[in-house]
Amino acid sequence: MTEIRFHSVFDIIGPIMVGPSSSHTAGAARIGKVVRSIFGEQPEIVDIYLYESFAKTYRGHGTDIALVGGVLGMDPDDERLHDSLKIAHSLGIKVFFIPKKDKASHPNTVKMVLTKGDKKMSITGISIGGGNIQISELNGFKISLSMGTPTFIIVQKDVPGIIAHITEVLSKVQTNIGTMTVTRESKGEKAITIIEVDSPQINSTVKQLLQLDDIYSVNYFD
Amino acid sequence: MFYTIKELVKQAQEYSSIAELMIATEMENTGRSREKIVALMEKNLEAMEQSVRKGIAGVTSITKLTGGAAPKLDKYLKTGNALCGDTVVKAARNAIAVNEVNAQMGIICATPTAGSAGVLAGVLTAVRDKLELSRYRQVEFLFTAGAFGLVIANSSSISGAEGGCQAEVGSASAMASAALVTAKGGTPEQAAQAVAITLKNMMGLICDPVAGLVEVPCVKRNAMGATQALVSADMALAGITSVIPPDEVVEAMHRVGMQMPSIFKETAEGGLATTPTGLKLAKEIFGEKKN
């Protein structure tokens, strides 16, 4: 049997979204939003490398405006998506689209490199159909985040004991951790923790995580 | 959870309907409450209805390649002189309406994708009066379609870039035919047969969007996908079965999708996209800016 990629009826019926393509528009907006969330703040420069189908049809499908809209925090059903390139420009964000001829592991692949000052981060996302996405690379590390399961993305200071504090919060609210990825820019700087969980108590968890010392941002995706 | 159509039909026997099985499975998989799950689906239904209404009133895409076909078919329907019955023409009109809204970058509900969003919405809004479907029955219709869609998505694909148009309009049409069978009082097994009958005819359908836009031929293919769902459902309800079992048909579609060259998978490098007119339109729309 092939890999089970779809778990919810709403992966099939939904999302409600701005047209025209669930993989090239809605999926792209979701990738952009996750990328922004992992980066943790507004970037100065966004380099967008597009592969295969994304490279060939990104303008016709609104993939460009959707990726940038996502980086600005917009959801797939946000009608401001149409104007995302203009909005990014007015915020002083420089965006570059670079269609690549290389083969990729999936026909709808995008690699985004976000830069702010000395901070640089690379994230690769794939859009697997019906608006569903996966994150396959983070700063050169291969990861596999389905983003179809409840996921917390936490940006924290790279200090001893911080991971223990985070997992303690989840433990207190009886939330089970499925997978966990921790990566950092450099020693003692910002680090990222991505946690996939089972049936979370979202509101209280996000609030409690934000109250911890040395936490910069907490985002939740379901 | 069910991973094959066979498992889906078998597990449905333990519930009052496929929709109930889908809701129970969703509760188990996501931990969401029944109320929340039903409310989310009602929201999807409302988005579908709005896109049908908007499209029939008339929209035009930014490129002007599509738009205005739904109002034309609406006018034609009202003459009472259509060759097909009202339900079939209505389904085609509504499916076109949704996809014209999609092409215009309006709000739609993807089922299973945006490029194929017209099929399920078009069929449901065309039959609900005739079948006297209550609001809840319409929501159930979507859960039934979603159940079959989940199996197809996991065993094959619902992405044009992965599997061609058969994966999008093909899957949507199969899902719609199954839901139609159930809404008309057919059994889960008959619904499964409708899926097989539908996919067999959609097999091999390529994704060849002119200028890479979800407009030509997507909008009209949605109309054909919707009408085929109605015919498949009637065949299954009449007791006709597929010689090749449903799961084997889904598997065959997956294989065909993998074997299909990438020029036919949402790259605008083959089929209608590379006809003289298709190429001319692409040049007109993107001009010198094309990378």
Side-chain angles (χ1 to χ4, degrees):
Chain A
M1 185 186 291
T2 46
E3 177 200 1
I4 300 307
R5 301 185 295 171
F6 303 89
H7 301 273
S8 165
V9 70
F10 299 107
D11 295 341
I12 308 299
I13 313 294
I16 296 171
M17 54 168 281
V18 168
S21 164
S22 48
S23 55
H24 289 61
T25 322
R30 280 181 172 169
I31 290 173
K33 196 172 175 186
V34 171
V35 166
R36 164 64 180 267
S37 170
I38 296 175
F39 193 68
E41 59 186 317
Q42 184 175 304
E44 287 164 356
I45 304 168
V46 186
D47 293 306
I48 301 176
Y49 298 89
L50 301 142
Y51 296 86
E52 302 202 29
S53 179
F54 264 11
K56 279 155 194 155
T57 64
Y58 73 97
R59 275 160 62 208
H61 285 67
T63 309
D64 44 1
I65 58 162
L67 286 167
V68 173
V71 169
L72 296 173
M74 296 177 196
D75 287 310
D77 65 346
D78 194 323
E79 297 202 72
R80 292 175 305 157
L81 277 177
H82 299 122
D83 301 318
S84 68
L85 295 177
K86 273 183 221 149
I87 296 171
H89 182 74
S90 69
L91 291 170
I93 305 173
K94 291 199 179 95
V95 181
F96 300 97
F97 293 97
I98 307 121
K100 303 288 280 184
K101 289 213 166 73
D102 313 50
K103 282 265 167 206
S105 58
H106 187 279
N108 294 328
T109 299
V110 59
K111 177 174 172 166
M112 299 177 78
V113 180
L114 277 66
T115 311
K116 183 176 183 183
D118 293 338
K119 180 178 169 186
K120 196 167 192 172
M121 182 173 285
S122 140
I123 300 162
T124 302
I126 60 177
S127 184
I128 60 171
N132 303 289
I133 64 164
Q134 288 174 355
I135 301 295
S136 61
E137 177 260 352
L138 177 59
N139 283 341
F141 292 101
K142 266 200 174 163
I143 57 171
S144 178
L145 281 179
S146 70
M147 306 310 298
T149 40
T151 304
F152 288 100
I153 296 180
I154 303 156
V155 181
Q156 78 268 11
K157 194 168 181 194
D158 183 33
V159 290
I162 185 88
I163 306 298
H165 293 308
I166 292 169
T167 53
E168 194 187 348
V169 168
L170 292 170
S171 158
K172 271 188 196 150
V173 290
Q174 299 281 312
T175 300
N176 187 39
I177 295 176
T179 71
M180 183 157 153
T181 308
V182 184
T183 183
R184 64 182 178 185
E185 292 163 25
S186 60
K187 202 173 169 185
E189 299 290 322
K190 277 186 189 169
I192 306 152
T193 304
I194 302 171
I195 308 175
E196 288 184 316
V197 298
D198 304 327
S199 6
Q201 308 295 318
I202 308 141
N203 292 335
S204 62
T205 311
V206 171
K207 217 175 283 168
Q208 288 182 49
L209 286 169
L210 280 170
Q211 278 165 3
L212 293 173
D213 288 338
D214 300 319
I215 295 285
Y216 296 117
S217 69
V218 178
N219 272 288
Y220 171 77
F221 294 86
D222 70 355
Chain B
M1 184 70 177
F2 38 83
Y3 300 106
T4 62
I5 291 175
K6 204 172 169 185
E7 282 173 10
L8 164 56
V9 170
K10 188 161 178 265
Q11 288 180 29
Q13 289 169 354
E14 291 157 36
Y15 295 86
S16 56
S17 66
I18 294 170
E20 282 303 318
L21 165 65
M22 188 66 254
I23 293 169
T25 306
E26 185 73 14
M27 288 166 70
E28 197 187 306
N29 284 357
T30 64
R32 285 174 172 147
S33 69
R34 185 194 173 87
E35 290 70 34
K36 169 97 181 158
I37 291 165
V38 171
L40 278 171
M41 197 57 96
E42 278 170 357
K43 232 179 115 196
N44 284 339
L45 176 58
E46 280 163 26
M48 290 179 196
E49 290 169 324
Q50 277 171 19
S51 59
V52 169
R53 274 198 298 272
K54 190 174 169 189
I56 292 175
V59 293
T60 309
S61 71
I62 300 159
T63 62
K64 299 191 171 59
L65 276 182
T66 55
K72 267 185 198 160
L73 207 46
D74 185 52
K75 204 173 154 197
Y76 177 73
L77 176 69
K78 282 172 183 155
T79 63
N81 280 325
L83 290 168
C84 301
D86 273 9
T87 310
V88 173
V89 182
K90 261 189 212 168
R93 176 197 65 188
N94 298 358
I96 286 174
V98 173
N99 277 77
E100 290 191 330
V101 169
N102 184 57
Q104 176 247 356
M105 299 183 91
I107 299 270
I108 55 93
C109 176
T111 54
T113 66
S116 58
V119 177
L120 199 61
V123 165
L124 173 55
T125 50
V127 300
R128 61 183 176 186
D129 294 338
K130 185 184 169 91
L131 297 180
E132 296 175 348
L133 300 179
S134 66
R135 196 76 187 158
Y136 187 69
R137 289 262 176 245
Q138 294 175 48
V139 170
E140 279 189 326
F141 187 98
L142 299 179
F143 279 112
T144 307
F148 284 98
L150 257 184
V151 173
I152 297 169
N154 280 322
S155 310
S156 182
S157 172
I158 50 166
S159 154
E162 281 177 24
C165 193
Q166 57 167 5
E168 296 206 24
V169 172
S171 300
S173 185
M175 288 156 54
S177 64
L180 281 167
V181 166
T182 310
K184 186 105 190 328
T187 64
E189 180 54 37
Q190 285 174 322
Q193 293 301 323
V195 167
I197 293 167
T198 308
L199 286 184
K200 286 196 295 188
N201 190 47
M202 283 290 183
M203 198 164 298
L205 193 63
I206 61 173
C207 176
D208 51 350
V210 168
L213 301 163
V214 193
E215 301 201 41
V216 179
C218 320
V219 170
K220 293 185 188 83
R221 277 196 192 150
N222 269 264
M224 305 316 288
T227 54
Q228 178 183 250
L230 288 161
V231 180
S232 296
D234 268 335
M235 284 165 75
L237 284 162
I240 297 172
T241 56
S242 170
V243 173
I244 310 296
D247 284 311
E248 289 184 36
V249 175
V250 173
E251 204 277 319
M253 180 176 102
H254 180 53
R255 248 184 306 120
V256 169
M258 302 295 286
Q259 288 160 345
M260 202 181 267
S262 82
I263 56 166
F264 298 141
K265 291 193 278 198
E266 214 169 342
T267 54
E269 292 174 333
L272 298 167
T274 50
T275 53
T277 303
L279 291 169
K280 187 173 127 259
L281 288 169
K283 204 169 169 207
E284 278 171 19
I285 292 162
F286 291 115
E288 307 313 315
K289 282 191 295 175
K290 182 86 181 169
N291 289 295

